[in-house]
């Protein structure tokens, strides 16, 4: 009998240098480095002062499931406030 578990890793980056008035996006890369499946994954973005989420509908980003070894990327449009 073997126990397999998911092992999630998150990396956050931007595609450009952030500047006031320049549309940009935050990229979240989610990887399951484990052998087990991760089910019903959600990300709840929370940005600090000065950075606004430009999505039409705020709330959790539903990723669904990631099998062992799978990865996915989520892009969130943002605006730098001046």
């Amino acid at each position: 009998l073997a126990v397999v578990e998911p092992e999630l890793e998150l990396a956050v980056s931007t595609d450009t240098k952030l500047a006031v008035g320049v549309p940009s996006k935050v990229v979240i890369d989610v990887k399951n480095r484990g052998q087990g499946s991760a089910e019903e994954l959600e990300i709840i973005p929370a940005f600090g002062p000065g950075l606004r989420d430009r999505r039409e509908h705020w709330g959790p980003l539903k990723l669904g499931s990631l099998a062992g070894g799978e990865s996915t990327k989520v892009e969130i449009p943002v605006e730098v406030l001046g």
Side-chain angles (χ1 to χ4, degrees), residues 25-52:
K25 60 187 168 192
V26 170
V27 179
I28 302 172
D29 187 15
V30 183
K31 296 177 183 176
N32 181 359
R33 296 205 179 273
Q35 294 180 343
S37 181
E39 308 290 331
E40 299 181 31
L41 294 173
E42 291 184 349
I43 293 176
I44 301 172
F47 299 109
L51 194 61
R52 183 176 75 85

Side-chain angles (χ1 to χ4, degrees), residues 22 48-49 53 60 65 81:
V22 178
D53 186 337
S65 300
L81 305 174

Side-chain angles (χ1 to χ4, degrees), residues 6 12-13 15-16 20 23 27-28 31-33 37-38 41 45 47-48 61 64 73-74 78:
V12 180
S13 62
D15 63 336
T16 60
V20 174
V27 179
I28 302 172
K31 296 177 183 176
N32 181 359
R33 296 205 179 273
S37 181
L41 294 173
F47 299 109
L61 298 165
K73 287 187 181 186
V74 178
V78 294

